[in-house]
Amino acid sequence: MTDHQDDEDLDGAIEPYSDEADDFLRARGWLSRRSDTDRGAPDDVWEWPPTQQDPWRAATWVQFTGEVFQIHRAEHKGFFSMSGFQQDVQTFEELAAEIPLVEVWPLTLEKASAEMTKHRHAQEWAKENNTHTRGFAIPEPYASRMNDATSAARAGAITREEAERRTSRALEEAWVAYCCVFYAGTEDGVRDMKRFAAR
């Protein structure tokens, strides 16, 4: 797919689109302005669902202007500098390389990996000891991924083992999203956001 600036949307307006970015981000669970967000913008815009709810004051979103991809990291209610959270990248390749960092904001990849490892160990321990693990709200897009895997297994489209693998992975990623929300409300989280904004 290629980026193009002269396609007409349903209203007849000429807008910049990036099909390559749209395919990539939607596959990762981002919502696209083309069909599934309410954000009004004159170009392609994608939002990261885990940061659309409280305590975020503004969600993480990416906008394609026709020349650059503007990354706007989620802004927590306890921190108010919008300008510090914007980052421009010139190419789709740069965007694709940056997205894993964007999705775990305000955690670093290292902290997110550590949280996922802790969660995995807790799940294994609970299974071995026939007990429950800590409950938490599972946000989108992870809840839908888990439901889709279960439905596909019931329909015979995938094996039960594959459904369990996909469900476990989605649950781990949902845990990291939950940890990001929790971390953003801590002193360390606010400090990290301020440090990022000051770069």
Side-chain angles (χ1 to χ4, degrees):
M1 296 286 186
T2 59
D3 297 342
H4 46 91
Q5 257 183 286
D6 297 321
D7 284 350
E8 293 188 3
D9 68 7
L10 295 177
D11 297 325
I14 296 175
E15 302 179 353
Y17 288 132
S18 172
D19 290 334
E20 189 173 31
D22 195 60
D23 291 343
F24 171 74
L25 292 172
R26 282 183 134 168
R28 293 180 71 93
W30 289 66
L31 300 179
S32 171
R33 184 193 65 87
R34 296 190 195 188
S35 63
D36 48 18
T37 75
D38 294 327
R39 178 180 290 280
D43 9 69
D44 257 343
V45 172
W46 303 272
E47 289 188 356
W48 184 231
T51 57
Q52 288 181 320
Q53 316 250 333
D54 286 343
W56 300 108
R57 183 169 164 269
T60 291
W61 53 288
V62 173
Q63 182 171 2
F64 179 59
T65 69
E67 297 177 2
V68 299
F69 292 96
Q70 295 178 337
I71 300 169
H72 301 266
R73 281 172 169 80
E75 182 181 0
H76 189 265
K77 287 181 178 176
F79 188 67
F80 301 101
S81 172
M82 252 331 245
S83 61
F85 290 88
Q86 183 178 330
Q87 172 188 4
D88 292 350
V89 295
Q90 305 298 316
T91 66
F92 166 73
E93 289 73 22
E94 290 176 282
L95 176 69
E98 192 69 21
I99 285 299
L101 289 168
V102 174
E103 290 175 349
V104 300
W105 172 253
L107 296 177
T108 63
L109 282 177
E110 292 76 21
K111 287 179 182 175
S113 178
E115 286 294 343
M116 191 175 284
T117 298
K118 282 195 299 186
H119 181 70
R120 190 175 294 131
H121 289 157
Q123 292 287 322
E124 290 171 358
W125 187 90
K127 189 174 183 180
E128 290 171 3
N129 291 278
N130 195 29
T131 189
H132 297 288
T133 55
R134 178 181 173 185
F136 64 98
I138 301 174
E140 290 297 343
Y142 313 111
S144 291
R145 289 180 188 171
M146 294 169 73
N147 290 336
D148 290 347
T150 301
S151 297
R154 285 184 183 149
I158 60 174
T159 64
R160 179 174 292 174
E161 292 76 19
E162 175 62 16
E164 288 178 3
R165 187 192 68 75
R166 292 183 188 182
T167 300
S168 295
R169 179 65 183 176
L171 187 62
E172 289 176 354
E173 292 174 348
W175 175 255
V176 171
Y178 170 81
C179 290
C180 285
V181 171
F182 176 79
Y183 186 72
T186 66
E187 287 183 16
D188 286 347
V190 172
R191 185 195 65 235
D192 285 352
M193 285 190 273
K194 288 180 178 178
R195 184 181 298 135
F196 178 86
R199 286 197 319 194

